[in-house]
């Protein structure tokens, strides 16, 4: 599995320039790779995050933190509490 993760991480790195995401991929498979990478690198397992913390983490790579946050939740990579006040890393 680590070979798979490292090869997909390497492919994801082509989406970045100087540590910043150049664009959110339109193709679902490519976006899924990116989202997995972001979940692994920006969010710790077993830790709860507030929405501002999630936004701040996502802004380190791209200004459209709302879109990235929404994609992460829809993909199940971040889970959101019912009232929307807390997020946790999923899968």
């Amino acid at each position: 599995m680590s070979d798979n993760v490292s090869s997909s991480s390497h492919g994801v790195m082509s989406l970045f320039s100087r540590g910043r995401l150049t664009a959110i991929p339109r193709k679902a498979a490519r976006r899924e790779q990116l989202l997995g990478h972001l979940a692994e690198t920006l969010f710790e397992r077993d830790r709860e995050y507030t929405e501002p913390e999630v936004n701040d983490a996502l802004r380190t790579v791209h200004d459209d933190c709302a879109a990235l946050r929404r994609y992460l939740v829809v993909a199940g990579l971040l889970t959101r509490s019912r009232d929307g006040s807390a997020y946790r890393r999923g899968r």
Side-chain angles (χ1 to χ4, degrees):
M1 175 158 165
S2 62
D3 288 340
N4 212 8
V5 170
S6 63
S7 66
S8 67
S9 292
H10 178 70
V12 166
M13 296 317 294
S14 67
L15 299 171
F16 290 83
S17 175
R18 298 179 190 193
R20 300 281 297 168
L21 182 61
T22 56
I24 299 171
R26 292 176 192 246
K27 290 185 178 182
R30 193 78 168 128
R31 191 169 50 239
E32 280 288 322
Q33 282 183 326
L34 169 68
L35 296 173
H37 172 76
L38 294 178
E40 288 178 20
T41 58
L42 298 177
F43 304 102
E44 297 174 29
R45 288 203 183 276
D46 302 322
R47 178 172 171 223
E48 194 169 89
Y49 294 87
T50 63
E51 187 169 302
E53 288 175 318
V54 171
N55 291 342
D56 288 345
L58 293 172
R59 271 194 206 100
T60 65
V61 295
H62 196 273
D63 291 334
D64 194 351
C65 60
L68 289 173
R69 187 182 68 242
R70 188 169 43 254
Y71 285 134
L72 285 163
V73 169
V74 168
L77 296 167
L78 280 185
T79 59
R80 180 174 43 211
S81 64
R82 189 175 293 262
D83 66 2
S85 66
Y87 292 78
R88 294 183 80 82
R89 185 168 152 195
R91 327 188 226 156

